[in-house]
Coordinates of all heavy atoms in Angstrom, one line a residue:
M1 N 0.9 -1.2 0.0 CA 0.0 0.0 0.0 C 0.9 1.2 0.0 O 1.7 1.4 0.9 CB -0.9 0.0 1.2 CG -1.9 1.1 1.3 SD -3.0 1.1 2.7 CE -3.9 -0.4 2.4
N2 N 0.7 2.1 -1.0 CA 1.5 3.3 -1.0 C 1.0 4.5 -0.2 O -0.1 4.4 0.3 CB 1.8 3.7 -2.5 CG 0.4 4.0 -3.3 OD1 -0.5 4.6 -2.7 ND2 0.3 3.5 -4.5
V3 N 1.7 5.6 -0.2 CA 1.3 6.7 0.6 C 0.0 7.3 0.1 O -0.9 7.7 1.0 CB 2.4 7.8 0.5 CG1 1.9 9.2 1.1 CG2 3.6 7.4 1.3
F4 N -0.3 7.3 -1.2 CA -1.6 7.8 -1.7 C -2.8 7.1 -1.0 O -3.7 7.8 -0.6 CB -1.6 7.7 -3.2 CG -3.0 8.0 -3.8 CD1 -3.3 9.3 -4.0 CD2 -3.9 7.0 -4.1 CE1 -4.6 9.7 -4.5 CE2 -5.1 7.3 -4.7 CZ -5.5 8.6 -4.8
Y5 N -2.7 5.8 -1.0 CA -3.9 5.1 -0.4 C -4.0 5.2 1.1 O -5.1 5.3 1.6 CB -3.8 3.6 -0.8 CG -4.1 3.4 -2.3 CD1 -3.1 2.9 -3.2 CD2 -5.3 3.6 -2.8 CE1 -3.3 2.7 -4.5 CE2 -5.6 3.4 -4.2 CZ -4.6 3.0 -5.0 OH -4.8 2.8 -6.4
I6 N -2.8 5.3 1.7 CA -2.8 5.5 3.2 C -3.5 6.9 3.5 O -4.3 7.0 4.4 CB -1.4 5.4 3.8 CG1 -0.9 4.0 3.6 CG2 -1.4 5.8 5.3 CD1 0.5 3.8 4.1
K7 N -3.1 7.9 2.7 CA -3.6 9.3 3.0 C -5.1 9.3 2.6 O -5.9 10.0 3.3 CB -2.9 10.3 2.1 CG -1.5 10.7 2.6 CD -0.9 11.8 1.8 CE 0.4 12.3 2.4 NZ 0.9 13.4 1.6
L8 N -5.5 8.5 1.6 CA -6.9 8.5 1.2 C -7.8 7.9 2.4 O -8.8 8.4 2.7 CB -7.1 7.6 0.0 CG -8.5 7.6 -0.6 CD1 -9.0 9.0 -1.0 CD2 -8.5 6.6 -1.8
I9 N -7.3 6.8 3.0 CA -7.9 6.2 4.1 C -8.0 7.2 5.3 O -9.0 7.4 6.0 CB -7.2 4.9 4.6 CG1 -7.3 3.8 3.5 CG2 -7.8 4.4 5.9 CD1 -6.5 2.6 3.8
A10 N -6.9 7.9 5.5 CA -6.8 8.9 6.6 C -7.8 10.0 6.3 O -8.5 10.5 7.2 CB -5.4 9.4 6.7
L11 N -7.9 10.4 5.1 CA -8.9 11.5 4.7 C -10.3 11.1 5.0 O -11.1 11.9 5.5 CB -8.7 11.8 3.2 CG -9.6 12.8 2.6 CD1 -9.5 14.2 3.3 CD2 -9.5 13.0 1.1
I12 N -10.7 9.9 4.6 CA -12.1 9.4 4.8 C -12.3 9.4 6.3 O -13.4 9.8 6.8 CB -12.3 8.0 4.2 CG1 -12.2 8.2 2.6 CG2 -13.6 7.4 4.6 CD1 -12.2 6.8 1.9
A13 N -11.4 8.8 7.1 CA -11.5 8.7 8.5 C -11.7 10.1 9.1 O -12.5 10.4 10.0 CB -10.3 8.0 9.2
M14 N -10.9 11.1 8.7 CA -10.9 12.4 9.2 C -12.3 13.1 8.9 O -12.9 13.7 9.7 CB -9.8 13.3 8.5 CG -9.8 14.7 8.9 SD -8.5 15.7 8.1 CE -9.1 15.6 6.4
L15 N -12.8 12.9 7.7 CA -14.1 13.5 7.3 C -15.2 12.9 8.2 O -16.1 13.7 8.6 CB -14.4 13.2 5.8 CG -13.5 13.9 4.8 CD1 -13.8 13.4 3.4 CD2 -13.8 15.4 4.9
M16 N -15.2 11.6 8.4 CA -16.2 11.0 9.3 C -16.1 11.5 10.7 O -17.1 11.8 11.4 CB -16.0 9.5 9.3 CG -16.3 8.8 7.9 SD -16.1 7.0 7.9 CE -17.4 6.5 9.1
L37 N -8.3 6.7 13.2 CA -7.3 6.3 12.3 C -6.6 7.5 11.6 O -5.4 7.4 11.2 CB -8.0 5.5 11.1 CG -8.7 4.2 11.5 CD1 -9.4 3.6 10.2 CD2 -7.7 3.2 12.0
A38 N -7.2 8.6 11.6 CA -6.7 9.8 10.8 C -5.4 10.3 11.3 O -4.4 10.3 10.5 CB -7.7 10.9 10.8
L41 N -2.2 8.0 10.9 CA -1.9 7.7 9.5 C -1.3 8.9 8.8 O -0.3 8.8 8.1 CB -3.2 7.3 8.7 CG -3.7 5.9 9.1 CD1 -4.9 5.6 8.2 CD2 -2.6 4.8 8.9
F42 N -1.8 10.1 9.1 CA -1.3 11.3 8.6 C 0.2 11.6 9.1 O 1.1 12.0 8.4 CB -2.2 12.5 8.9 CG -3.3 12.7 7.9 CD1 -4.6 12.8 8.3 CD2 -3.0 12.8 6.5 CE1 -5.6 13.0 7.4 CE2 -4.1 12.9 5.6 CZ -5.4 13.0 6.0
C45 N 2.5 9.2 7.4 CA 2.9 9.7 6.1 C 3.8 10.9 6.1 O 4.7 11.1 5.3 CB 1.6 10.1 5.3 SG 0.5 8.7 4.9
I227 N -2.7 -1.0 8.7 CA -2.6 -0.1 7.5 C -1.1 0.3 7.3 O -0.5 0.3 6.2 CB -3.5 1.0 7.6 CG1 -5.0 0.5 7.7 CG2 -3.4 2.0 6.3 CD1 -6.0 1.6 7.9
F237 N 0.2 8.2 -6.4 CA -0.2 9.5 -7.0 C 0.2 10.7 -6.1 O 0.1 10.6 -4.9 CB -1.7 9.6 -7.2 CG -2.2 8.6 -8.2 CD1 -2.9 7.4 -7.7 CD2 -2.0 8.7 -9.5 CE1 -3.3 6.5 -8.7 CE2 -2.5 7.8 -10.4 CZ -3.1 6.7 -10.0
L239 N -0.6 14.5 -5.9 CA -1.7 15.4 -5.2 C -1.1 16.1 -4.1 O -1.6 16.2 -3.0 CB -2.9 14.5 -4.8 CG -3.6 13.8 -5.9 CD1 -4.8 13.0 -5.3 CD2 -4.2 14.8 -6.9
F242 N -3.4 18.8 -2.5 CA -4.8 18.5 -2.3 C -5.1 18.4 -0.8 O -6.1 18.9 -0.4 CB -5.1 17.1 -3.0 CG -6.5 16.6 -2.7 CD1 -7.6 17.2 -3.3 CD2 -6.7 15.5 -1.9 CE1 -8.9 16.7 -3.0 CE2 -7.9 15.1 -1.6 CZ -9.0 15.7 -2.2
Y243 N -4.3 17.6 -0.1 CA -4.5 17.4 1.3 C -4.3 18.7 2.1 O -5.0 18.9 3.2 CB -3.7 16.3 1.9 CG -3.9 15.0 1.2 CD1 -3.1 14.5 0.1 CD2 -5.0 14.2 1.6 CE1 -3.4 13.3 -0.5 CE2 -5.3 13.0 0.9 CZ -4.5 12.6 -0.1 OH -4.8 11.4 -0.8

Side-chain angles (χ1 to χ4, degrees):
M1 184 179 295
N2 58 43
V3 168
F4 171 78
Y5 289 113
I6 294 177
K7 283 186 176 180
L8 185 60
I9 294 172
L11 175 64
I12 294 172
M14 178 182 68
L15 290 173
M16 293 178 67
L37 297 173
L41 290 181
F42 276 127
C45 291
I227 299 172
F237 294 105
L239 299 179
F242 174 75
Y243 298 99

